[in-house]
C-alpha cells in the first residue's frame, strides 16, 4: 500500500471527503445530538459518523496512520506520512444548520504539510491542493489573491474552543485586526483557509487552533501560491497560524 504518489493519495482523500459529505448533507441517519459539551465547544454524534466514513476509506486504501479529532491517533508506521482529519469542521454551525462547515483532510510528513482536501458539502465545493504543485476548486486551478496591503485585505479569524477570552487577550486580538479592511468569523477554520486559497479571503489568523482544524487547509493555501506561518503551542496539537497570499506580511 506504500509508495503511492501524491496524486493518488489526493484522489483517495477526495473520495473519502465527498462520501462523508454526501452522508452529512443528505442522509436521514445523520445524528445531530450533542454527546459532549464544554464552555466553548460541542461535539455531536455526526462528528463520529462522518469520521467513520472517512477513516474506513483512508485506513483501508492507504494503510497510513491517522490523527483524527474524535478518534485521536490510530496506527503506526515507519512511514513519516500521516493523515490528519477533521470529520466536521464547524461542528456548531452544522448542529445549528448554519451552512458553513466542511470535512477537512490533510496529509503531513512529520511536521510538514504535503497535501489537503476540504469538502464544503452544502455547496458541493471540493478544494484540494498539493504543496509546490497546485490547488484546485472542483478540479479547476485556484490562486491566492494579490491584495498587497492590510488596509485592503479581508481577514478571516476565529475564537478556538480553548481560547483565552480574558479582556487583555481579546484587546490584543482586536488591536491586531484593526488594520484590516474587513474581518470575518465564519466558525470554520478549514473553510476560512480554503477561501484564502481561492482568493475570496486574503488572510487567515487564529491563535490556539487545533492541528486538525488547519491541516487540510494549509497545504491548499501553499499549493495555491500562498504562505503559512505556524508556531506550536504548549498544549498538544495546538498552533498559532497565519496564512495569506505572499504579499501580506505577518498578522
Ligand atoms: C472549530 C472551527 C472554528 C475554530 C474552532 C474550532 P470544530 O472546529 O474550526 O473555526 O475557531 O477553534 O474548534 O470544533 O468545529 O471542528
Amino acid at each position: 500500500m506504500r509508495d503511492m504518489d501524491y496524486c493518488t493519495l489526493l484522489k483517495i482523500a477526495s473520495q473519502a471527503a465527498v462520501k462523508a459529505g454526501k452522508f452529512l448533507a443528505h442522509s436521514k441517519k445523520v445524528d445531530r445530538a450533542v454527546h459532549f459539551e464544554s464552555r466553548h465547544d460541542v461535539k455531536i454524534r455526526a462528528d463520529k459518523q462522518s469520521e467513520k466514513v472517512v477513516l474506513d476509506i483512508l485506513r483501508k486504501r492507504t494503510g497510513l496512520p491517522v490523527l483524527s479529532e474524535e478518534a485521536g491517533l490510530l496506527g503506526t508506521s515507519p512511514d513519516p506520512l500521516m493523515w490528519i482529519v477533521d470529520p466536521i469542521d464547524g461542528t456548531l454551525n452544522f448542529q445549528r444548520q448554519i451552512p458553513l462547515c466542511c470535512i477537512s483532510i490533510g496529509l503531513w510528513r512529520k511536521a510538514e504539510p504535503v497535501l489537503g482536501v476540504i469538502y464544503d458539502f452544502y455547496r458541493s465545493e471540493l478544494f484540494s491542493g498539493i504543496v509546490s504543485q497546485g490547488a484546485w476548486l472542483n478540479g479547476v486551478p485556484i490562486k491566492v489573491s494579490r491584495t498587497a496591503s492590510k488596509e485592503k485585505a479581508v481577514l478571516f479569524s476565529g475564537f478556538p474552543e480553548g481560547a483565552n477570552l480574558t479582556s487583555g487577550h481579546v484587546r490584543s486580538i482586536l488591536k491586531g485586526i484593526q488594520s484590516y479592511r474587513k474581518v470575518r468569523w465564519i466558525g470554520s477554520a478549514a473553510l476560512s483557509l480554503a477561501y484564502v486559497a481561492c482568493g475570496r479571503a486574503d488572510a487567515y489568523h487564529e491563535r490556539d487552533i487545533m492541528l486538525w482544524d488547519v491541516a487540510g487547509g494549509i497545504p491548499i493555501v501553499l499549493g495555491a501560491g500562498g504562505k503559512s506561518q505556524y508556531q506550536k503551542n504548549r498544549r498538544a496539537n495546538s498552533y498559532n497560524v497565519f496564512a495569506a497570499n505572499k504579499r501580506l506580511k505577518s498578522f
Side-chain angles (χ1 to χ4, degrees):
M1 297 239 203
R2 304 251 306 282
D3 299 331
M4 285 179 177
D5 62 52
Y6 290 161
C7 289
T8 306
L9 291 166
L10 191 76
K11 214 176 273 171
I12 294 171
S14 304
Q15 285 165 358
V18 170
K19 187 167 181 198
K22 290 209 161 122
F23 168 79
L24 291 171
H26 305 298
S27 171
K28 291 202 168 68
K29 291 188 183 148
V30 172
D31 186 349
R32 286 185 164 78
V34 174
H35 73 85
F36 168 83
E37 57 189 324
S38 62
R39 180 72 184 84
H40 295 296
D41 201 21
V42 292
K43 290 195 180 295
I44 60 176
R45 293 197 203 285
D47 284 313
K48 290 195 172 161
Q49 291 178 307
S50 171
E51 185 174 68
K52 183 172 178 343
V53 177
V54 173
L55 297 197
D56 279 355
I57 294 177
L58 295 183
R59 302 276 290 144
K60 251 182 234 151
R61 297 200 34 207
T62 73
L64 292 171
V66 182
L67 172 66
S68 184
E69 177 168 9
E70 310 306 320
L73 182 59
L74 300 174
T76 51
S77 150
D79 198 317
L81 286 174
M82 178 187 283
W83 294 111
I84 305 175
V85 174
D86 190 342
I88 306 179
D89 187 58
T91 299
L92 186 104
N93 286 350
F94 181 73
Q95 196 235 350
R96 304 289 288 264
Q97 313 216 14
I98 300 166
L100 287 166
C101 38
C102 59
I103 292 155
S104 168
I105 304 175
L107 182 73
W108 286 49
R109 180 181 292 281
K110 293 194 177 144
E112 292 300 317
V114 172
L115 61 84
V117 166
I118 288 174
Y119 186 51
D120 174 350
F121 44 87
Y122 283 129
R123 288 171 195 75
S124 303
E125 288 193 329
L126 180 70
F127 299 86
S128 59
I130 305 178
V131 177
S132 308
Q133 290 193 31
W136 304 270
L137 167 50
N138 292 341
V140 177
I142 50 174
K143 283 268 167 235
V144 291
S145 72
R146 296 178 56 77
T147 310
S149 69
K150 288 185 184 176
E151 290 70 27
K152 296 202 169 153
V154 180
L155 171 79
F156 277 51
S157 188
F159 287 117
E161 43 93 16
N164 175 351
L165 293 178
T166 54
S167 313
H169 197 80
V170 171
R171 255 198 304 275
S172 83
I173 294 175
L174 291 178
K175 195 157 178 271
I177 66 179
Q178 272 165 2
S179 16
Y180 288 86
R181 171 170 277 170
K182 286 282 185 192
V183 182
R184 295 286 180 264
W185 275 273
I186 62 170
S188 166
L191 214 47
S192 301
L193 284 161
Y195 287 0
V196 172
C198 69
R200 292 176 189 165
D202 303 301
Y204 160 80
H205 169 73
E206 200 162 344
R207 289 192 208 167
D208 297 314
I209 188 76
M210 301 307 282
L211 182 56
W212 38 80
D213 295 317
V214 294
I218 288 174
I220 304 179
V221 170
L222 296 176
K227 67 171 179 201
S228 92
Q229 300 157 352
Y230 41 95
Q231 295 93 39
K232 211 171 173 331
N233 291 318
R234 247 187 255 152
R235 184 158 74 122
N237 297 316
S238 157
Y239 288 77
N240 295 345
V241 176
F242 177 74
N245 71 41
K246 283 187 181 153
R247 296 174 162 216
L248 292 168
K249 303 222 165 51
S250 62
F251 174 70

